[in-house]
């Protein structure tokens, strides 16, 4: 006798599972909860709706069997070493990531990377199809899985599909460089609802559908031309952090004690500046160091009174652009310390490790000035984490206007990291502004994050997904009001027949081939 296999009303699909594989002394596998914001957000959602999570375990090889962890059903997807290279390091992180971040470094295009991207996306979709209950909600995460919505729809037309982009969506002129641009748009249009960090990201997506696929759009909706009558909504639902959880951690006596210890071990500087980033070229670490170096050279500031701690968490070390960045940052730090440091008082404390959450919370509390200076960032959770940890209302946040976070935290000390002179002035202002003014700013920033935490983000997202109409209301004029047929995939960048909406300029035609 066979019993029906259990399926789930909510299936989250992300590149990675919410757990990291650890081996104990005897070589047994143990899964440890990874501390990311997405996991925390989903935890509260999944408590209310029993859910499954589909994702890669982080290792090369066969997928381990599905298992339960903290009430979540986890279904690993296996990637072999070549797929890690081509799908993950290649297409995801060396093709899509640069295109979606303003081409700060050039993107690489390789057809075998694309083939791996398609193959792996299909594997994720098949895993989802197995786990989803009839009529389930499927929530796909991020740029690594943009083909999954359409592939899931093919396999399981009964489910409701959402996708959320954690990174920016580029202007159409940049997105159009992608040889597989139409395939990606079509992959995403398999969803019922598409969520973005900023309104401009959602608008860029809608514009890409209009200009590259020739689809009709109205406001935040894209009408499909496949005869289904489906209209897909693309809107901003900015992600956040677990405010209550992090604030409680930052209020723990051991964490507050550790913050004091950190300052003492740095020689009790008058001003401690801090940067915390994955070591990624989007984060503006080089620009930040340049501005800091110039301030030191010009003797506006200097050790031991002022010092900078830069935590640069190791990231994507097998991708060439990341190796160059690491070399460059480490050379710069060496030069600054060599020329401007003192015995027992280096100008920069550079830490290329990752730390436990408690240590991060203590560092945030210890820092007088937090430097968040990305050239482009979907959101930047560090900015929100910093203000959350400052329950004492101390500290000052320097925040790049090119982060999603700035759209919510614009009372911060705003900077354009490309403008080194302006960045220097902003850093000095963050130091010299009177404490009472800084407290007022910090109070406002904290209120914003407290009111817009990650639990609210997840609730808003799922409500938008539930409200997304599958089909338009019947058109009283009959079926003749159908959208135009999409041009073939190789069509050049061109506005649709009815011309661009919203009075936007027509983009020049360019022909892109593989
Ligand atoms: C992508 C988007 C968007 C860092 N070092 C350590 C550590 N961290 C934590 C931070 C923060 C997270 O990692 C990094 O989040 P960010 O938002 O800053 O950046 P990405 O990794 O680029 O994330 C971004 C995000 O997705 C969410 O949608 O905001 O724009 O690029 O939480 O604190 N945590 C610990 N030790 C470390 O050493 N424990």
């Amino acid at each position: 006798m066979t019993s029906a296999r259990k399926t789930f009303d909510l299936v989250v699909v992300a590149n990675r599972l919410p757990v990291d594989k650890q081996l104990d002394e005897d070589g047994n596998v143990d899964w440890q909860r990874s501390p990311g914001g997405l996991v925390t957000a989903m935890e509260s959602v999944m408590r209310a709706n029993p859910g499954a999570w589909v994702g890669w375990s982080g290792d090369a090889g066969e997928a381990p069997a599905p298992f339960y962890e903290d009430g979540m059903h986890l279904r690993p997807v296996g990637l072999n070493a070549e797929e890690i290279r081509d799908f993950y390091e290649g297409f995801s992180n060396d093709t899509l990531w640069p295109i979606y971040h303003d081409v700060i470094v050039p993107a690489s295009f390789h057809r075998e990377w694309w083939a791996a991207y398609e193959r792996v996306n299909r594997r994720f979709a098949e895993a989802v199809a197995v786990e989803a209950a009839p009529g389930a909600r499927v929530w796909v995460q991020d740029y690594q899985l943009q083909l999954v919505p359409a592939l899931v729809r093919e396999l399981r037309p009964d489910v409701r599909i959402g996708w959320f982009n954690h990174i920016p969506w580029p202007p159409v002129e940049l997105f159009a460089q992608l040889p597989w641009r139409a395939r990606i748009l079509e992959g995403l249009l398999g969803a019922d609802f598409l969520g973005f960090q900023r309104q401009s990201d959602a608008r860029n997506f809608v514009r890409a559908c209009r200009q590259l696929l020739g689809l009709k759009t109205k406001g935040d909706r894209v009408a499909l031309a496949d005869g289904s009558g489906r209209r897909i909504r693309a809107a901003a639902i900015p992600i956040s952090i677990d405010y209550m959880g992090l604030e409680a951690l930052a209020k723990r006596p051991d964490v507050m004690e550790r913050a004091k210890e950190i300052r003492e071990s740095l020689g009790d500087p008058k001003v401690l500046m801090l940067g915390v980033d994955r070591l990624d070229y989007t984060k503006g670490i080089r620009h930040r160091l340049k501005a800091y170096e110039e301030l030191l050279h010009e003797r506006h500031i200097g050790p031991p009174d002022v010092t900078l701690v830069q935590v640069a968490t190791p990231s994507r070390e097998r991708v060439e652009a990341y190796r160059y960045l690491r070399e460059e940052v480490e050379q710069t730090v060496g030069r600054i310390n060599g020329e401007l440091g003192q015995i027992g008082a280096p100008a920069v404390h550079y830490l290329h490790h990752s730390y436990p959450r408690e240590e991060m919370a203590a560092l945030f509390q210890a820092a007088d000035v937090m430097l968040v200076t990305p050239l482009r960032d979907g959101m930047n959770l560090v900015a929100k984490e910093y203000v959350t940890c400052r329950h004492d209302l101390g500290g000052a946040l320097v925040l790049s206007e090119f982060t999603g976070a700035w759209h919510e935290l614009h009372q911060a000390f705003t900077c354009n990291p490309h403008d080194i002179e302006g960045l220097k002035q902003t850093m000095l202002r963050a130091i010299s502004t009177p404490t009472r003014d800084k407290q007022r700013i910090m109070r406002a920033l904290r209120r914003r994050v407290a009111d817009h935490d990650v639990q609210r983000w997840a609730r808003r997202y799922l409500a938008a997904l539930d409200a997304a109409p599958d089909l338009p209301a019947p058109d009283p004029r009959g079926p003749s009001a159908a959208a135009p047929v999409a041009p073939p995939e190789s069509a050049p960048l061109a506005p649709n027949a009815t011309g661009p909406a919203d009075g936007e300029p027509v983009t020049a035609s360019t022909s892109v081939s593989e």
Side-chain angles (χ1 to χ4, degrees):
M1 212 173 73
T2 54
S3 63
R5 223 182 51 80
K6 184 164 169 46
T7 53
F8 297 87
D9 291 331
L10 175 66
V11 181
V12 172
V13 202
N15 179 51
R16 289 294 296 269
L17 284 174
V19 288
D20 292 322
K21 195 167 160 184
Q22 318 262 321
L23 291 180
D24 69 15
E25 291 145 13
D26 305 324
N28 300 319
V29 173
D30 183 28
W31 296 94
Q32 296 278 334
R33 200 62 169 270
S34 50
L38 187 60
V39 182
T40 316
M42 289 305 128
E43 198 178 18
S44 51
V45 177
M46 285 189 167
R47 236 179 263 133
N49 322 259
W53 189 305
V54 173
W56 173 43
S57 65
D59 273 347
E62 294 273 303
F67 57 99
Y68 274 87
E69 185 73 32
D70 276 351
M72 265 190 283
H73 175 80
L74 304 184
R75 184 184 187 90
V77 172
L79 299 186
N80 64 33
E82 264 177 25
E83 287 165 343
I84 295 174
R85 186 191 65 201
D86 294 350
F87 155 75
Y88 178 64
E89 292 162 356
F91 199 78
S92 297
N93 289 333
D94 208 13
T95 304
L96 293 173
W97 183 268
I99 291 269
Y100 284 40
H101 287 91
D102 289 356
V103 199
I104 296 166
V105 306
S108 308
F109 301 130
H110 297 291
R111 280 164 281 186
E112 60 278 18
W113 290 2
W114 165 252
Y117 187 78
E118 271 191 305
R119 193 167 62 246
V120 171
N121 269 249
R122 185 168 293 280
R123 194 172 306 149
F124 273 83
E126 284 164 357
V128 171
V130 172
E131 298 298 341
R137 297 189 285 190
V138 173
W139 189 357
V140 187
Q141 309 289 328
D142 233 356
Y143 62 101
Q144 302 94 347
L145 303 178
Q146 295 177 94
L147 307 182
V148 168
L151 292 167
V152 169
R153 183 168 293 279
E154 244 175 67
L155 296 167
R156 290 291 305 271
D158 59 300
V159 300
R160 194 169 269 267
I161 306 163
W163 174 79
F164 182 78
N165 196 31
H166 291 257
I167 67 174
W169 184 275
V172 67
E173 293 79 359
L174 292 182
F175 182 74
Q177 289 181 18
L178 268 175
W180 309 279
R181 61 201 194 183
R183 302 287 296 282
I184 287 178
L185 294 175
E186 286 159 3
L188 291 172
L189 290 171
D192 296 289
F193 174 69
L194 300 165
F196 295 85
Q197 300 277 28
R198 297 171 310 161
Q199 275 183 15
S200 53
D201 297 320
R203 278 200 297 265
N204 284 345
F205 172 80
V206 170
R207 204 170 287 150
C209 292
R210 188 164 61 240
Q211 294 187 208
L212 300 175
L213 295 183
L215 294 176
K216 274 197 173 157
T217 68
K218 191 170 177 200
D220 61 4
R221 289 178 204 242
V222 179
L224 293 194
D226 59 0
S228 67
R230 286 200 314 122
R231 284 179 313 198
I232 288 86
R233 181 168 173 240
I237 303 204
I239 199 168
S240 193
I241 60 157
D242 176 22
Y243 180 87
M244 295 240 287
L246 183 60
E247 194 197 39
L249 177 70
K251 281 184 171 167
R252 253 171 46 184
D254 58 322
V255 171
M256 290 170 63
E257 194 48 43
R258 176 67 192 141
K260 280 197 203 121
E261 251 175 55
I262 290 173
R263 288 190 74 98
E264 274 164 28
S265 65
L266 294 168
D268 266 326
K270 287 195 184 119
V271 179
L272 171 55
M273 296 194 158
L274 176 65
V276 172
D277 314 83
R278 266 189 315 101
L279 188 43
D280 194 298
Y281 49 79
T282 59
K283 303 290 182 184
I285 301 170
R286 288 185 308 115
H287 296 64
R288 184 184 312 164
L289 288 174
K290 186 169 177 59
Y292 181 68
E293 183 176 18
E294 288 190 13
L295 286 174
L296 259 58
H297 267 300
E298 292 160 12
R299 302 193 183 283
H300 292 292
I301 54 175
D305 286 351
V306 177
T307 194
L308 167 66
V309 171
Q310 175 64 55
V311 177
T313 314
S315 184
R316 305 176 189 172
E317 297 192 299
R318 295 202 321 199
V319 179
E320 199 177 37
Y322 288 75
R323 286 203 300 269
Y324 282 144
L325 174 72
R326 180 171 175 193
E327 273 170 31
E328 234 183 314
V329 165
E330 293 185 354
Q331 267 176 22
T332 307
V333 169
R335 186 180 65 233
I336 298 176
N337 278 335
E339 290 176 10
L340 299 155
Q342 299 174 5
I343 289 181
V348 186
H349 299 259
Y350 170 76
L351 304 158
H352 185 247
H353 324 272
S354 70
Y355 289 95
R357 284 174 69 228
E358 291 76 7
E359 184 74 359
M360 302 303 286
L363 266 168
F364 288 143
Q365 273 186 52
D368 302 296
V369 178
M370 182 78 216
L371 299 171
V372 179
T373 60
L375 308 177
R376 179 57 78 201
D377 215 335
M379 173 53 62
N380 196 290
L381 297 179
V382 169
K384 292 185 172 182
E385 289 165 353
Y386 177 66
V387 301
T388 300
C389 288
R390 297 318 303 246
H391 47 82
D392 58 346
L393 300 184
L397 173 65
V398 170
L399 184 58
S400 160
E401 59 192 88
F402 299 111
T403 61
W406 181 78
H407 294 261
E408 297 177 70
L409 305 178
H410 44 80
Q411 298 99 329
F413 291 88
T414 301
C415 70
N416 166 5
H418 298 280
D419 171 10
I420 298 296
E421 206 47 53
L423 176 55
K424 285 158 63 183
Q425 294 312 317
T426 308
M427 286 161 72
L428 291 178
R429 226 161 13 90
I431 294 173
S432 63
T433 296
T435 306
R436 278 185 61 193
D437 294 343
K438 286 201 270 204
Q439 286 178 339
R440 192 177 38 75
I441 294 170
M442 188 55 76
R443 191 175 289 118
L445 299 178
R446 286 171 53 75
R447 194 175 307 130
R448 170 73 204 190
V449 182
D451 289 347
H452 294 78
D453 64 2
V454 75
Q455 287 82 4
R456 176 173 165 154
W457 168 75
R459 278 197 307 273
R460 280 187 66 203
Y461 187 92
L462 290 173
L465 176 59
D466 290 344
D470 291 325
L471 296 168
D475 191 325
R477 291 168 302 161
S480 61
V485 174
E489 195 197 328
S490 58
L493 175 63
N496 66 26
T498 53
D502 310 323
E504 79 191 38
V506 176
T507 315
S509 288
T510 57
S511 200
V512 180
S513 68
E514 282 182 44

